[in-house]
Amino acid sequence: MESWAGHEVPRLPGRGEPLALYDSARQGVHPSEPADAASMYVCGITPYDATHLGHAATMITFDLVQRMWRDSGRPVRYVQNVTDIDDPLLERAARDGEDWVVLAMRETALFREDMEALRIIPPAHYVGAVESIPDIADKVEVLLKDGAAYRLDDGTGDVYFDISATPRFGYESNLTREQMLEIFPERGGDPDRAGKRDPLDPLLWRGAREGEPSWPGGDLGPGRPGWHIECAVIALNLLGDRIDVQGGGNDLLFPHHEASAAHAERLTGQAPFAEHYVHAGMIGLDGEKMSKSRGNLVFVSRLRADKVDPMAIRLALISGHYRSDRTWTDELLTAAHERLDRWRRAAAAPAGPSGAELLAEVRARLADDLDTPGALAAADRWAEATLSGATDDPEAPALFANTMDALLGVRL
């Protein structure tokens, strides 16, 4: 699957600071110290609707991670998936009387356009679930032979993962069993499915059903993969047995990331699967979580069609810390437009305060678990001083513009 077009990232003088990130499993901020090239897997979209601001905020978060690693001199191996076959996609296509393949292709193309407009550095590998099905089926067979998976005896051909095969199940989300059982059905799980060994066992392979697409599965029989094994297999195939960051929104922490890490760890015999499990907060609207079920989504493509500057969208989304659940408002976007205008006027000034000091402060703030509010505040102080007439450094405006572009992804 093709990714989106990239853009040139300015090279900054010196080298950035090592990045520290909050790890959901350890529940604290820890240094990210890749031995060589940094590796990151971020869960992408299920393409049954346009890119909303929650998607955008998540993708911007991991774009910042990639920018910080690059600034510190590390090459980055970044993989993102597209869940281009899953129940929500089929349900939306059926509701609208549309071919699910056409729907997935259209929304994936729109997602690419939105990512390019927001200046998200593209992943090295952008991989669809459909193209990965042969590899996924092979790994499910491995888990079956290993005793970590089992078939239901109801004739459906469905295969489930036995969570007892990974005794540490739950270490990533730090949830109690009672909490898991409450959340599981809300996020695609089927705890009441008859024949399962444990209500929390996740689906690995869904046997073919009449009226649903299916693919050859070798000894598994025809069917299609479960959601969690998809990400585990794509990550293992392209990044190896251990990765530095597994990322996504905080609604993926359980069951998706918990289960996909369990699958990967059983397949490789190594744990933890990721050095850092990093999760971005949710974006709300008018005090409520933004969701399709509530019908209160704000789409990036709609904002772009209304001539909203994508850089203002980006600034608005990073004005709060990435881990916090935060609210989108008209006032937030207005403030972002005003900030963008000030920054652009400052970047066009003949001189300003020390650009090197600003660069060091922005690097330090972002190195501390992506403290974007602190980085924006530093940039605001520099811009205000410049617009007030400070003329110490004639090279500072250009360095300011390059710093905002390279580290924050905001082109002035």
Side-chain angles (χ1 to χ4, degrees):
M1 181 174 287
E2 291 186 5
S3 189
W4 54 93
H7 58 275
E8 185 176 352
V9 178
R11 298 177 68 89
L12 300 174
R15 179 168 287 193
E17 297 187 21
L19 175 62
L21 289 168
Y22 185 89
D23 172 38
S24 297
R26 290 174 286 175
Q27 298 185 308
V29 176
H30 297 271
S32 169
E33 300 175 320
D36 188 11
S39 56
M40 178 166 65
Y41 182 90
V42 176
C43 297
I45 59 167
T46 301
Y48 60 95
D49 214 336
T51 314
H52 60 70
L53 291 177
H55 294 140
T58 296
M59 297 308 160
I60 289 171
T61 294
F62 297 101
D63 184 59
L64 295 174
V65 171
Q66 181 168 196
R67 289 172 184 272
M68 288 298 292
W69 274 336
R70 288 171 178 262
D71 185 51
S72 67
R74 297 185 186 281
V76 180
R77 297 182 298 141
Y78 172 29
V79 175
Q80 187 180 135
N81 75 309
V82 182
T83 303
D84 52 357
I85 180 63
D86 202 8
D87 289 342
L89 176 64
L90 298 178
E91 291 164 3
R92 178 61 58 89
R95 188 200 72 179
D96 296 344
E98 186 170 9
D99 187 313
W100 68 271
V101 175
V102 174
L103 173 61
M105 291 177 65
R106 185 180 69 245
E107 298 302 339
T108 301
L110 184 56
F111 177 79
R112 291 191 191 98
E113 293 174 10
D114 290 338
M115 294 300 99
E116 190 170 340
L118 291 169
R119 291 179 68 78
I120 306 292
I121 299 173
H125 301 279
Y126 191 53
V127 186
V130 170
E131 65 189 283
S132 308
I133 286 176
D135 290 332
I136 296 171
D138 288 345
K139 292 298 191 296
V140 173
E141 287 192 45
V142 169
L143 291 170
L144 270 171
K145 293 174 182 176
D146 186 40
Y150 59 95
R151 299 176 189 270
L152 293 191
D153 59 5
D154 58 4
T156 60
D158 293 353
V159 178
Y160 281 82
F161 182 77
D162 188 336
I163 62 170
S164 69
T166 50
R168 297 180 67 211
F169 189 83
Y171 81 89
E172 182 184 334
S173 59
N174 290 287
L175 297 174
T176 65
R177 180 174 175 84
E178 290 70 25
Q179 290 171 321
M180 292 183 198
L181 286 169
E182 180 180 354
I183 294 171
F184 194 48
E186 298 172 359
R187 297 180 181 173
D190 55 355
D192 298 326
R193 177 74 186 274
K196 290 174 59 173
R197 295 175 181 172
D198 188 297
L200 293 173
D201 288 349
L203 180 71
L204 290 170
W205 186 258
R206 177 176 169 85
R209 306 293 205 273
E210 184 176 355
E212 292 185 7
S214 63
W215 288 263
D219 290 342
L220 297 176
R224 55 185 170 92
W227 180 26
H228 317 305
I229 188 65
E230 166 197 341
C231 287
V233 171
I234 293 173
L236 290 174
N237 284 352
L238 292 170
L239 295 174
D241 293 355
R242 292 283 296 275
I243 64 175
D244 293 299
V245 166
Q246 181 182 39
N250 60 21
D251 58 336
L252 299 185
L253 177 56
F254 184 86
H256 183 52
H257 284 174
E258 188 78 63
S260 62
H263 299 336
E265 289 164 3
R266 182 66 189 202
L267 285 165
T268 64
Q270 296 190 51
F273 169 55
E275 188 67 24
H276 280 77
Y277 298 101
V278 181
H279 297 93
M282 297 290 101
I283 305 298
L285 179 69
D286 299 328
E288 289 190 334
K289 177 184 175 181
M290 206 176 288
S291 69
K292 294 177 176 65
S293 61
R294 288 189 172 96
N296 63 349
L297 297 178
V298 178
F299 297 109
V300 173
S301 55
R302 181 68 265 169
L303 291 172
R304 292 198 294 118
D306 290 340
K307 308 302 181 184
V308 175
D309 191 322
M311 296 300 92
I313 300 171
R314 186 167 178 127
L315 271 175
L317 290 173
I318 64 175
S319 62
H321 192 267
Y322 80 93
R323 284 196 283 118
S324 64
D325 291 338
R326 48 209 193 274
T327 299
W328 179 267
T329 63
D330 290 340
E331 292 75 18
L332 184 70
L333 184 57
T334 297
H337 275 293
E338 292 172 351
R339 173 177 269 148
L340 186 61
D341 177 67
R342 288 196 307 273
W343 285 11
R344 284 176 171 162
R345 286 188 286 118
S354 170
E357 290 180 7
L358 170 70
L359 172 59
E361 188 171 1
V362 172
R363 277 173 164 162
R365 295 277 37 88
L366 293 178
D368 183 12
D369 195 31
L370 303 179
D371 175 16
T372 52
L376 297 189
D380 285 342
R381 289 191 294 271
W382 184 93
E384 290 299 331
T386 298
L387 295 174
S388 297
T391 58
D392 303 339
D393 182 356
E395 296 182 358
L399 181 55
F400 170 68
N402 284 342
T403 299
M404 298 303 99
D405 192 350
L407 300 183
L408 293 177
V410 177
R411 187 175 185 180
L412 302 180

